[in-house]
Amino acid sequence: AEDVVRNKQVILRDYVSGFPKESDMQLTTGTTKLKLPEGSTAGVLVKNLYLSCDPYMRNRMTKRDPGASYIDSFNAGSPITGYGVAKVLESANPKFKQGDLVWGRTVWEEYSTITATDSLFKIHNTDVPLSYYTGILGMPGMTAYAGFYEVCSPKKGETVYVSAASGAVGQLVGQFAKLSGCYVVGSAGTKEKVDLLKKKFGFDGAFNYKEEPDLDAALKRFFPEGIDIYFENVGGKMLDAVLPNMRVHGRIAVCGMISQYNLEQPEGVHNLMYLVIKQVRMEGFLVFDYYHLYGKFLEMVLPAIKEGKITYVEDVVEGLESAPAALIGLFAGRNVGKQVVLVSPE
Ligand code: NDP
């Protein structure tokens, strides 16, 4: 007899414009066969353990023309897809075997058949929390590493500013900056987050951008001599305030611009002339270009975690039921640290 099990899923009901709502998604309960389809040659059947809520997913919730983004839109009426940590139940792919733990692209449901196994990484180190492979040891960690070291080429003694600094990417950028001997200041949207930046992640300074009527003045307070490196997560008014505060030959790594993701019309940026005046290099990047460095990244970060030189804060909610609220919470700043959904204990 074939094993048929319950399979809860989170479906995108319809394409979204403006701020996403919980009701844009729907939890459904169906069933699935715990077996790969007959004749599978490369796929794996997995049980999802953790799912990751990431800001880029908002982009996929809107219908766009092919080529208008770096990633396809979701299919309305189908389950949401995203990064996660999973256990292999059956494998038709010689790279994976039953019982392996993997991280990579999966589906917002309990059990998934993954055919695009190119984007799955086998997990070898299990003496850290498995959820870390959605964050510090997964896509956001790799983003912080690529953006800070590869795009910004930091030097000891330089000044670094990180926006959305307490989040999945930002908290790590700040800690990398300290390990590199830089002076680092971060901004975030609550007092609790500002305290974390200073007390837990070792930022030299931190401020609540929502309580600063004049962002330019706030930046001048923390960077009287200017900013060498800006790690850009927010965009909009924040970017405009940063530009005149950049130092000569500064670098801006454009990781994301979350303040723009729910706007129908992006805000204008007025101070771009400072790129010329201060000879600043502003470079956008995507983590996908840097996965060849994943091994090198793990060699640095795993020991640093185990020796307590790097720490990581996660915000874990339980159950697929909680996933829609957790995802949209990113855009209201409700997450404190990396937003993770626990789907099933291992
Ligand atoms: P976070 O964990 O930082 O969560 C998002 C945070 O953004 C919220 O908690 C909130 O914090 C802040 N935020 C939300 N809305 C606004 C707003 N309107 N203005 C200012 N801040 C806001 O997310 P990640 O660390 O996962 O992602 C950070 C950035 O990195 C995003 O822009 C994302 O798109 C980008 N990214 C880019 C990648 C790439 O390959 N280039 C890969 C991964 C992420 P607060 O309370 O401080 O406002």
Side-chain angles (χ1 to χ4, degrees):
E2 272 172 343
D3 239 345
V4 174
V5 291
R6 182 196 69 192
N7 198 23
K8 288 190 199 170
Q9 300 183 311
V10 178
I11 310 283
L12 178 68
R13 293 172 94 139
D14 202 354
Y15 294 109
V16 174
S17 63
F19 200 96
K21 304 179 297 299
E22 252 185 88
S23 58
D24 293 326
M25 291 163 269
Q26 184 177 24
L27 189 85
T28 63
T29 305
T31 58
T32 190
K33 276 186 203 161
L34 270 194
K35 193 128 196 49
L36 280 174
E38 201 63 44
S40 290
T41 52
V44 292
L45 174 72
V46 301
K47 179 179 189 187
N48 293 309
L49 306 177
Y50 292 97
L51 293 172
S52 178
C53 296
D54 293 289
Y56 81 91
M57 296 169 77
R58 170 64 189 84
N59 188 23
R60 305 192 71 187
M61 295 172 103
T62 295
K63 184 76 185 158
R64 292 185 208 282
D65 296 333
S69 181
Y70 58 89
I71 193 162
D72 291 343
S73 300
F74 291 135
N75 293 316
S78 295
I80 284 177
T81 61
Y83 283 91
V85 172
K87 186 169 198 159
V88 175
L89 301 181
E90 188 189 348
S91 175
N93 183 318
K95 271 186 3 200
F96 304 100
K97 60 176 195 309
Q98 190 188 351
D100 279 352
L101 291 163
V102 294
W103 75 268
R105 285 176 183 273
T106 183
V107 185
W108 279 32
E109 58 189 357
E110 292 178 282
Y111 299 93
S112 304
T113 297
I114 303 175
T115 46
T117 47
D118 286 357
S119 52
L120 283 187
F121 293 84
K122 200 156 152 172
I123 294 174
H124 298 284
N125 272 277
T126 53
D127 49 357
V128 291
L130 268 185
S131 52
Y132 274 18
Y133 290 91
T134 67
I136 182 170
L137 296 175
M139 186 280 281
M142 197 54 226
T143 302
Y145 180 84
F148 187 64
Y149 291 110
E150 299 295 313
V151 179
C152 296
S153 312
K155 291 191 281 294
K156 193 169 176 233
E158 287 191 316
T159 62
V160 178
Y161 174 53
V162 189
S163 54
S166 69
V169 176
Q171 58 174 297
L172 206 49
V173 174
Q175 294 180 78
F176 286 156
K178 285 317 297 174
L179 290 176
S180 301
C182 298
Y183 164 86
V184 60
V185 173
S187 59
T190 65
K191 178 177 186 307
E192 180 190 8
K193 292 180 182 184
V194 168
D195 285 346
L196 270 181
L197 294 177
K198 290 192 284 197
K199 294 181 186 143
K200 181 124 186 136
F201 305 130
F203 283 62
D204 297 291
F207 65 92
N208 181 346
Y209 68 93
K210 290 182 180 163
E211 290 185 347
E212 297 288 347
D214 183 347
L215 287 174
D216 177 66
L219 291 169
K220 289 200 159 57
R221 212 160 73 228
F222 287 101
F223 298 97
E225 314 274 320
I227 300 167
D228 291 303
I229 292 175
Y230 174 42
F231 197 98
E232 165 71 302
N233 286 321
V234 163
K237 293 180 185 65
M238 187 62 85
L239 175 59
D240 249 337
V242 167
L243 283 163
N245 285 290
M246 291 301 292
R247 295 184 76 176
V248 170
H249 294 143
R251 284 84 71 203
I252 301 178
V254 186
C255 176
M257 295 193 172
I258 194 167
S259 72
Q260 307 298 297
Y261 297 175
N262 299 313
L263 302 182
E264 295 291 292
Q265 281 296 322
E267 285 177 287
V269 179
H270 305 281
N271 287 324
L272 285 174
M273 186 59 195
Y274 282 91
L275 297 178
V276 181
I277 299 169
K278 300 295 176 76
Q279 295 148 266
V280 168
R281 176 165 58 82
M282 182 166 167
E283 181 176 334
F285 73 98
L286 288 171
V287 63
F288 315 119
D289 261 14
Y290 293 91
Y291 278 127
H292 60 283
L293 299 177
Y294 186 64
K296 195 177 152 200
F297 159 76
L298 277 188
E299 267 173 43
M300 173 199 174
V301 175
L302 269 174
I305 294 172
K306 289 175 192 167
E307 290 160 22
K309 290 187 183 138
I310 290 186
T311 178
Y312 202 62
V313 170
E314 301 179 308
D315 192 333
V316 185
V317 297
E318 282 190 29
L320 271 174
E321 297 77 6
S322 310
L327 177 58
I328 65 174
L330 295 174
F331 304 99
R334 276 197 289 273
N335 60 308
V336 179
K338 168 65 206 171
Q339 184 66 61
V340 187
V341 179
L342 168 63
V343 180
S344 167
E346 201 196 325

